[in-house]
Amino acid sequence: MLKLVGGSLKLAANERWFLAHTQPKSECKAQLHLAAQGFRTYLPQIQKTIRHARQLKTVRAPLFPRYLFVILDLERDRWLSVRSTVGVSRLFTHQDGRPIPIPIGIVESLIERSHGNLTRLDSGLIKGQHVRILLGPFADLVATLQRLDDAGRVQVLLEMMGTAVPVTLDRSALASAA
């Protein structure tokens, strides 16, 4: 079940997706304040492993830190108020100041890949492909995908200390490195 903020994420006739640049670590705050003004937003999130003080912690983090997608109809909505919303730095605009729409299909494909409140980046993986590990003690390392099974497990080869080390992970812990 995808968490919707501000209602449905289906676009009406003149509506398009636009990109808001948020203040550091303020994506959720911006999303909350935009929803309070009646704007519909989408914040794709992934699970990510954070290392701090020799401890590993898995947290939910934005797929695109400091960015948030907003649905706007430039003829109907008071889109200038988005720029002054708490947590928002600016909207991406042309030189004339009008917001630049996101090409059709990009946000929709992210929404299709979302399960629960998380966006899954593991679809379309193929053997031999370079992948980035998102979770666990090997987070942020790039490996080569060696084997996929139907149970959702994958085996990757990590280059460590001059040798290839096989590591078995859950498929959701990977994203394409390309």
Side-chain angles (χ1 to χ4, degrees), residues 15-174:
E15 292 180 333
R16 293 287 303 271
W17 285 103
F18 294 86
L19 190 60
H21 190 238
T22 66
Q23 295 169 351
K25 300 191 184 296
S26 296
E27 300 89 357
C28 292
K29 182 191 301 184
Q31 187 176 37
L32 179 69
H33 286 276
L34 286 167
Q37 295 176 58
F39 293 108
R40 293 174 292 154
T41 62
Y42 175 59
L43 176 62
Q45 296 181 327
I46 58 171
Q47 282 192 330
K48 182 177 176 182
T49 297
I50 305 284
R51 290 185 180 120
H52 180 70
R54 296 186 192 161
Q55 292 183 350
L56 297 176
K57 183 163 74 169
T58 300
V59 297
R60 184 170 298 181
L63 177 60
F64 307 112
R66 296 194 67 189
Y67 295 98
L68 175 67
F69 298 104
V70 182
I71 295 174
L72 296 172
D73 178 344
L74 297 182
E75 304 303 319
R76 177 195 69 205
D77 295 330
R78 294 179 11 171
W79 56 268
L80 288 171
S81 66
V82 171
R83 298 184 310 187
S84 60
T85 300
V86 175
V88 175
S89 291
R90 64 187 180 100
L91 272 173
F92 279 84
T93 60
H94 294 283
Q95 285 183 337
D96 67 0
R98 291 188 56 84
I100 302 169
I102 304 280
I104 294 172
I106 292 177
V107 178
E108 291 82 358
S109 81
L110 287 171
I111 292 169
E112 286 176 13
R113 292 174 176 228
S114 295
H115 303 285
N117 291 332
L118 298 173
T119 302
R120 299 281 305 259
L121 301 174
D122 59 350
S123 62
L125 296 177
I126 54 174
K127 186 177 176 181
Q129 177 180 10
H130 289 289
V131 292
R132 180 171 304 282
I133 300 172
L134 302 173
L135 301 172
F138 302 112
D140 293 328
L141 295 178
V142 175
T144 304
L145 184 59
Q146 185 179 27
R147 185 173 62 226
L148 296 132
D149 68 17
D150 294 334
R153 303 293 288 170
V154 295
Q155 186 174 49
V156 296
L157 290 178
L158 277 173
E159 290 290 328
M160 297 174 65
M161 297 183 284
T163 187
V165 178
V167 177
T168 303
L169 304 164
D170 188 75
R171 181 182 184 118
S172 65
L174 300 179

